[in-house]
Amino acid sequence: MSADTPNSSDPTVETDQPADSRHTGSGLAAEKSRRLAQLDEIRAAGGTPYPYRFDRTHTIEQIRDAWGSLEAGTETDEAVTIAGRVMLLRDSGKLVFATIRDRSGEVQLFVSKAVIGDDAFAAIKRLDLGDWVGVHGTVMTTRKGELSIKTDRVELLAKAVRPLPDKWHGLSDVDTRFRQRYADLIVNAEAQRAFEIRHEIIASFRRTLHERGFIEVETPVLHAEAGGAHARPFTTHHNALDMQLYLRIALELHLKRLIVGGMERVYEIGRIFRNEGISTRHNPEFTMMELYQAFGDWNDVMDISEVLVTQAARDAIGTTMLEIRGETFDLAEPWPRIRMVDAVSEKAGRTVHPSQPIDELRTLADQHSVRWEERWGGGKLVEELFETLCEADIVRPTFVTGHPKEISPLARADRDDPWLTERFEIFVDSRELGNGYSELNDPVEQRLRFEEEQAAKDAGDHEAGTVDEDYIRALEYGMPPTGGLGIGMDRVAMLLAGVDSIKEVILFPTLRHEVL
RNA sequence: GCCUCUCUAGCUCAAUGGUAGAGCAGUGGACUUUUAAUCCAUUGGUUCAGGGUUCGAGCCCCUGGGGAGGCACCA
């Protein structure tokens, strides 16, 4: 913004001290003071510690690709410029070795006092770990064969005034890792890897969907009604409209309006918000991919689910083989499909179905220590039994199908069983990964289902939905038969990155305010 | 919301209730092929905060705070 002014150390941070005290004491305050004093010295000498831009000829990966096989002890005339962060410094008197890292990799600088002269050499010795530099030099290898840049000139691109975490141990304090993700990313390769995987998965999903004719759309985050899922919303307020709004808890209802509008194949990868607990599997804001395919049903979207996740695995980790809880599975093999009622029946040792008398199901729930509420019908009881009896045993990717109609207000009834719906959930490692169904498109039945939701909400179910009149109006214009799918992108990232906490795949997870 | 664990130098970690230490980073010095360079010297602490017990508390107790894990919650 404003031009650089000489001698402006601009100490705006709590621990800064005047430059005069640069050589006294130690600790963070002294370290920052020392580095801030360097800024003054650089500016006093007519330099700029924060130049505006820098042109490089190569990324470090390109250097390695081009010259990675040079024999040990080779000097070339190949002039290159690179840019990166100083990660390590090794000073052996009249030689300095520095490890420079950019996004693509690391390479060593070979700096000889005899080559670059006393002043430039002294300037390089003043570099600190963490500084960003632009480097001009020629490609060489050392006697031991290490690919290096024989350095002619180093330009400071940005001075770091705060020291990096431990160069060997990195940053392990999880609180600091999540709060200062920037520091985590600088020093922890595993953190970089997890996010590379996450972002490659998202790119892969987009490619797969684009190839199949899906259009990426953006629908509102601010909703007048929080529908499309069973969850407690965040509330907010629009001042000019003086209107209470909710942050969306699902993408579903707007995307299906677009199917009504004739868009045929749409998807959105977007943030949704649920005002619920935080755990290793739940963050209050998370990323959902939802797609809707006209003229398809649940079978079509089950097939797409397998393709999306399997291709994402190829793209992000280079294999479809996954080890989960010590067992190895191939994502590319068809995922088992099991009806929820059959899974529960097997575990219970008797036939279980939502059509059974409610007292029988309640007794069964009691036998398995499932807490139930009076207002629950048979369908809800079956689901609770499933969660208690079956969920923990699901390891490999599995479609659990045929959810009771009672708990699936937006899914179409099973063409063979009016108590169930043509719905499935994908489970892996006991975690829900996705959810899809043949979409209910009968506006009259949809109204009845909404009214049941409204009744449940009125009876005290905070997560229940309401009657979305505009959505029903849309259905009244006619929605073609449609298959819909939602996949939790964070959960896919956890699966493929092999991490146990959702915070490992969310750059800035929700935390309490830091007390500084 | 409940239970358990955890919080010591910038980072990673030590320290029977008895003078708060090490490695890295930093500072000064040596070293022209290092690889977490090495070697010599050296600075650095509100032990998360506040109470309490004790002759004496980083350590024991209480309250509060941050975080993690588990439970609850959770389509």
Side-chain angles (χ1 to χ4, degrees), chain A residues 252-464:
Chain A
E252 176 153 2
L253 296 178
H254 281 94
L255 293 179
K256 284 194 284 192
R257 284 172 169 93
L258 299 177
I259 298 296
V260 170
M263 293 180 76
E264 294 193 6
R265 293 188 181 200
V266 295
Y267 76 100
E268 180 168 6
I269 295 174
R271 202 73 55 84
I272 67 175
F273 307 84
R274 296 187 180 177
N275 204 340
E276 290 160 357
I278 294 175
S279 76
T280 51
R281 294 166 295 279
H282 301 83
N283 196 63
E285 52 179 308
F286 60 104
T287 300
M288 185 84 97
M289 188 289 305
E290 289 194 26
L291 68 82
Y292 293 86
Q293 176 178 337
F295 318 121
D297 66 8
W298 62 335
N299 290 306
D300 297 284
V301 290
M302 276 192 272
D303 293 344
I304 289 180
S305 303
E306 290 177 336
V307 171
L308 283 168
V309 174
T310 303
Q311 186 59 39
R314 287 190 194 100
D315 292 339
I317 60 174
T319 177
T320 61
M321 306 301 292
L322 275 191
E323 187 178 316
I324 309 169
R325 290 194 226 162
E327 295 182 67
T328 302
F329 301 104
D330 188 352
L331 286 171
E333 291 174 3
W335 300 352
R337 302 182 182 195
I338 181 168
R339 293 206 309 165
M340 180 181 282
V341 289
D342 294 339
V344 175
S345 298
E346 185 184 329
K347 289 287 180 183
R350 49 160 290 185
T351 301
V352 178
H353 195 275
S355 63
Q356 287 161 341
I358 191 78
D359 287 341
E360 276 184 35
L361 292 169
R362 286 174 175 171
T363 301
L364 190 63
D366 288 338
Q367 285 167 2
H368 293 95
S369 306
V370 174
R371 293 188 307 107
W372 50 269
E373 297 177 27
E374 283 287 337
R375 63 169 184 259
W376 292 1
K380 177 68 175 166
L381 283 163
V382 168
E383 184 197 31
E384 292 288 327
L385 283 161
F386 171 78
E387 287 179 7
T388 301
L389 298 179
C390 308
E391 227 176 75
D393 294 331
I394 299 176
V395 181
R396 68 177 308 168
T398 302
F399 292 108
V400 175
T401 69
H403 296 54
K405 189 189 281 186
E406 177 188 344
I407 57 163
S408 310
L410 298 161
R412 192 164 176 153
D414 190 308
R415 63 198 82 179
D416 301 316
D417 183 339
W419 289 86
L420 306 181
T421 58
E422 292 193 358
R423 177 179 171 193
F424 63 89
E425 285 181 309
I426 304 161
F427 282 89
V428 189
D429 195 9
S430 302
R431 289 194 289 261
E432 186 196 338
L433 203 72
N435 181 26
Y437 31 86
S438 299
E439 302 293 337
L440 177 57
N441 61 348
D442 175 340
V444 176
E445 179 165 1
Q446 185 65 75
R447 177 178 291 283
L448 292 174
R449 302 270 199 102
F450 275 157
E451 284 171 352
E452 286 167 11
E453 284 285 294
Q454 184 72 60
K457 192 177 195 72
D458 294 343
D461 182 352
H462 294 293
E463 288 88 36

Side-chain angles (χ1 to χ4, degrees), chain A residues 101 162-165 170-171 176-177 179-188 191-192:
Chain A
R101 185 162 80 207
R162 181 180 287 266
L164 250 34
L171 188 61
T176 312
R177 286 189 47 231
R179 286 189 193 282
Q180 299 184 35
R181 183 68 85 184
Y182 33 87
D184 187 32
L185 289 168
I186 292 169
V187 295
N188 289 327
Q192 297 161 25

Side-chain angles (χ1 to χ4, degrees), chain A residues 79-262:
Chain A
V80 296
T81 61
I82 61 168
R85 173 180 260 130
V86 179
M87 298 306 295
L88 292 170
L89 282 168
R90 295 175 291 281
D91 178 350
S92 66
K94 297 185 179 64
L95 280 184
V96 168
F97 299 90
T99 301
I100 303 298
R101 185 162 80 207
D102 69 12
R103 187 174 73 172
S104 70
E106 293 184 344
V107 73
Q108 170 173 281
L109 303 187
F110 177 98
V111 187
S112 163
K113 189 175 185 178
V115 169
I116 65 167
D118 292 1
D119 291 347
F121 195 70
I124 284 168
K125 284 205 176 194
R126 278 202 302 275
L127 288 174
D128 284 299
L129 300 184
D131 288 351
W132 288 91
V133 292
V135 180
H136 306 257
T138 51
V139 177
M140 62 167 280
T141 52
T142 62
R143 288 175 198 164
K144 296 258 176 64
E146 180 77 25
L147 183 64
S148 306
I149 307 299
K150 187 175 181 182
T151 302
D152 299 321
R153 189 156 60 92
V154 171
E155 295 178 42
L156 183 62
L157 299 184
K159 184 70 192 170
V161 297
R162 181 180 287 266
L164 250 34
D166 192 285
K167 68 181 180 186
W168 182 245
H169 299 96
L171 188 61
S172 61
D173 182 82
V174 287
D175 185 15
T176 312
R177 286 189 47 231
F178 296 154
R179 286 189 193 282
Q180 299 184 35
R181 183 68 85 184
Y182 33 87
D184 187 32
L185 289 168
I186 292 169
V187 295
N188 289 327
E190 322 85 75
Q192 297 161 25
R193 177 182 165 275
F195 290 106
E196 283 167 13
I197 289 171
R198 179 195 175 104
H199 299 131
E200 190 52 54
I201 290 167
I202 291 172
S204 174
F205 268 52
R206 286 202 164 100
R207 280 194 298 271
T208 299
L209 293 169
H210 178 74
E211 285 164 9
R212 288 167 177 254
F214 284 86
I215 298 165
E216 182 168 15
V217 299
E218 292 162 287
T219 62
V221 171
L222 298 175
H223 285 194
E225 309 260 358
H230 225 190
R232 301 180 75 152
F234 286 89
T235 57
T236 186
H237 183 263
H238 189 276
N239 290 337
L241 296 177
D242 189 20
M243 182 168 78
Q244 185 180 51
L245 290 167
Y246 302 94
L247 302 188
R248 65 185 173 186
I249 58 173
L251 311 174
E252 176 153 2
L253 296 178
H254 281 94
L255 293 179
K256 284 194 284 192
R257 284 172 169 93
L258 299 177
I259 298 296
V260 170

